[in-house]
Amino acid sequence: MDIKTLCLGMLSYGDACGYDIKKRFEALFRHFYSAGYGSIYPALAELTAAGLVTCRAVPQDGRPERKVYRITELGRRQFGDALATTQPQHKLRSEFLAMLYFAELMDTARLNDLLDDRLRQLREAEAHIAAIQQAWNDEVPVGARFVAGFGAVLARVAAEYIETHRHMLTNVPESTVADSPATERATPQHELIESRI
Amino acid sequence: MDIKTLCLGMLSYGDACGYDIKKRFEALFRHFYSAGYGSIYPALAELTAAGLVTCRAVPQDGRPERKVYRITELGRRQFGDALATTQPQHKLRSEFLAMLYFAELMDTARLNDLLDDRLRQLREAEAHIAAIQQAWNDEVPVGARFVAGFGAVLARVAAEYIETHRHMLTNVPESTVADSPATERATPQHELIESRI
DNA sequence: ATCCCCATGTAATTTGTTACATGATTGA
DNA sequence: TCAATCATGTAACAAATTACATGGGGAT
């Protein structure tokens, strides 16, 4: 399920230009999928070349013309196929967690900064999802409700985990905090760590 | 915080060869960071060239020689700098959620497959984390405990959400299930969808 | 017999991000 | 007046995955 296919999916809910599609991505997909113009515009060009969408140019005064894309029957079929056969991936790449693994090597102030930053992001995500949910009416597709709920729950739980467990990282007895990196730590604990991982 | 830096971090907990480092990644980082040999071996070569690690070849009988890497003082300092200054990202790319957004366009059997697959992955993640936690002793760094707990909680909550909300997607009245894609859906709902997103 | 583990690497390919290039309109 | 929004696209770059290439040892 690449960006090309997702653009097709977006267009199955209504005509749009590249700019619109980006906005749609940002509206609901933002928390689990991102796409920039550098991906979307080439994707639309390829979809057009493959006959999966059609493109009509709408001139505007004072602005560049809109290129409005519409999905074709072939495109609809192909998207249906993709939904029926693709096995979806779920990739997380969290430098945040990777860094916290090395919490010992950071001081308390730095750790607090990292945790507060992440908390802010999570709160913002919760607020954003809540805002779009409130603007919904009865006809919103179940899929949208499901993924929005999913995002909201995960963001809330992640924030709660940070709040209830941050003391593990920051309430460290003074002596344990690393301060003289060179002298004591140079050679001692090599080769004996496999058990800790 | 790229793979190069993370290899450096891994080596700050003990000497290792590329193969070992990959195993370490898989042991605990697997749920939020992945790295293949194609990333790790070049990273180690670059770290060596930059003087951040040293490499000593250990011949073995019947196997290719191990190239055991050790972090240098410069490497340790540089890693400390990275921890102190890098602002970490947290990127999620979930084709799973993206596809479920279009749940209307899938049949119940397919949805059940997708949900069951994801549930299995999440249960497996929980089990894996529980296993490594049980093998731990008192000296495990707090960072490792924190990230393991984080992963365990998120996996559990995600699984719970799927179980308690899957009926939204699969208990659909017969009539609503899409069956004749071409005829009814060709043109009707174009241009009126902005409000639903 | 066959598969997995050990152990190294390179090269091609795919994929996505960032920067560049342009420019009028609208609201603060 | 300054930033943001609308609107398109290309080109360079960065990064990671995948495939290729090699090969003995040990377990089932």
Side-chain angles (χ1 to χ4, degrees):
Chain A
M1 184 108 323
D2 54 4
I3 289 178
K4 228 160 78 179
T5 308
L6 287 178
C7 286
L8 208 50
M10 290 287 187
L11 291 172
S12 80
Y13 280 139
D15 297 356
C17 67
Y19 193 83
D20 296 331
I21 289 179
K22 174 124 195 290
K23 278 194 299 180
R24 291 188 190 180
F25 268 108
E26 279 166 2
L28 191 67
F29 279 35
R30 159 202 232 186
H31 306 302
F32 56 85
Y33 210 100
S34 63
Y37 293 122
S39 311
I40 291 170
Y41 284 122
L44 289 171
E46 286 174 59
L47 289 171
T48 309
L52 305 176
V53 303
T54 57
C55 174
R56 107 191 102 98
V58 179
Q60 301 181 115
D61 48 325
R63 302 182 181 284
E65 63 175 17
R66 278 169 64 89
K67 290 179 139 190
V68 179
Y69 294 90
R70 171 170 298 183
I71 192 168
T72 64
E73 258 328 296
L74 181 62
R76 230 175 255 281
R77 258 198 308 270
Q78 200 130 321
F79 183 60
D81 277 1
L83 284 180
T85 58
T86 306
Q87 52 185 353
Q89 296 179 19
H90 184 88
K91 278 186 207 165
L92 173 62
R93 179 172 223 87
S94 176
E95 297 176 1
F96 170 71
L97 290 175
M99 279 179 72
L100 287 186
Y101 181 80
F102 300 101
E104 293 180 301
L105 306 177
M106 286 184 268
D107 60 40
T108 304
R110 170 66 170 158
L111 284 168
N112 277 322
D113 279 353
L114 290 177
L115 295 167
D116 290 338
D117 271 0
R118 185 77 195 123
L119 270 179
R120 212 174 12 74
Q121 288 165 22
L122 289 166
R123 295 299 183 202
E124 192 271 326
E126 275 188 86
H128 177 258
I129 294 173
I132 56 173
Q133 282 175 327
Q134 276 174 352
W136 277 346
N137 60 30
D138 291 345
E139 283 139 48
V140 172
V142 282
R145 289 183 194 281
F146 185 89
V147 297
F150 203 105
V153 167
L154 285 197
R156 203 192 63 237
V157 170
E160 279 170 10
Y161 182 88
I162 292 174
E163 280 174 345
T164 56
H165 291 79
R166 63 186 303 166
H167 65 88
M168 284 172 63
L169 304 176
T170 52
N171 282 0
V172 176
E174 286 300 313
S175 57
T176 314
V177 177
D179 42 14
S180 57
T183 35
E184 312 156 34
R185 248 190 300 116
T187 35
Q189 87 281 52
H190 283 308
E191 310 282 10
L192 44 93
I193 317 290
E194 291 313 307
S195 64
R196 313 203 313 189
I197 299 175
Chain B
M1 182 107 328
D2 55 4
I3 289 177
K4 227 159 80 179
T5 309
L6 287 178
C7 285
L8 209 50
M10 289 288 186
L11 290 172
S12 79
Y13 280 140
D15 296 357
C17 67
Y19 194 82
D20 296 332
I21 289 177
K22 174 123 193 291
K23 278 194 300 179
R24 290 187 190 180
F25 267 107
E26 279 165 3
L28 192 66
F29 280 33
R30 151 203 241 186
H31 306 302
F32 56 85
Y33 209 100
S34 64
Y37 293 123
S39 310
I40 291 170
Y41 285 122
L44 289 171
E46 285 174 61
L47 289 172
T48 309
L52 306 176
V53 302
T54 57
C55 174
R56 107 191 103 99
V58 179
Q60 299 181 116
D61 47 326
R63 301 180 180 285
E65 62 176 15
R66 279 167 65 87
K67 289 179 140 192
V68 179
Y69 295 89
R70 171 170 297 179
I71 192 170
T72 63
E73 259 326 299
L74 179 62
R76 228 175 256 281
R77 260 197 308 267
Q78 200 130 321
F79 183 59
D81 277 1
L83 284 180
T85 58
T86 306
Q87 52 185 355
Q89 297 182 16
H90 185 89
K91 279 187 204 163
L92 175 61
R93 179 170 223 90
S94 177
E95 297 176 2
F96 169 72
L97 290 175
M99 279 178 71
L100 287 187
Y101 181 80
F102 300 102
E104 293 179 301
L105 305 178
M106 286 183 268
D107 59 39
T108 304
R110 170 67 172 158
L111 284 167
N112 277 323
D113 279 353
L114 291 177
L115 296 168
D116 289 338
D117 271 0
R118 185 78 195 123
L119 270 179
R120 213 172 12 74
Q121 288 165 22
L122 290 166
R123 295 304 182 197
E124 193 271 325
E126 275 188 87
H128 177 257
I129 294 172
I132 56 173
Q133 283 175 326
Q134 278 175 351
W136 277 347
N137 58 30
D138 292 346
E139 283 138 48
V140 172
V142 283
R145 290 182 192 282
F146 184 89
V147 296
F150 203 105
V153 167
L154 286 198
R156 204 193 62 237
V157 170
E160 279 170 10
Y161 182 87
I162 292 175
E163 280 174 346
T164 55
H165 292 79
R166 62 186 303 164
H167 65 88
M168 285 172 63
L169 305 176
T170 54
N171 282 1
V172 176
E174 286 301 313
S175 57
T176 314
V177 176
D179 43 13
S180 56
T183 34
E184 312 157 34
R185 246 191 299 117
T187 33
Q189 86 278 55
H190 283 306
E191 310 281 9
L192 46 92
I193 316 289
E194 291 313 307
S195 64
R196 315 203 311 188
I197 299 177

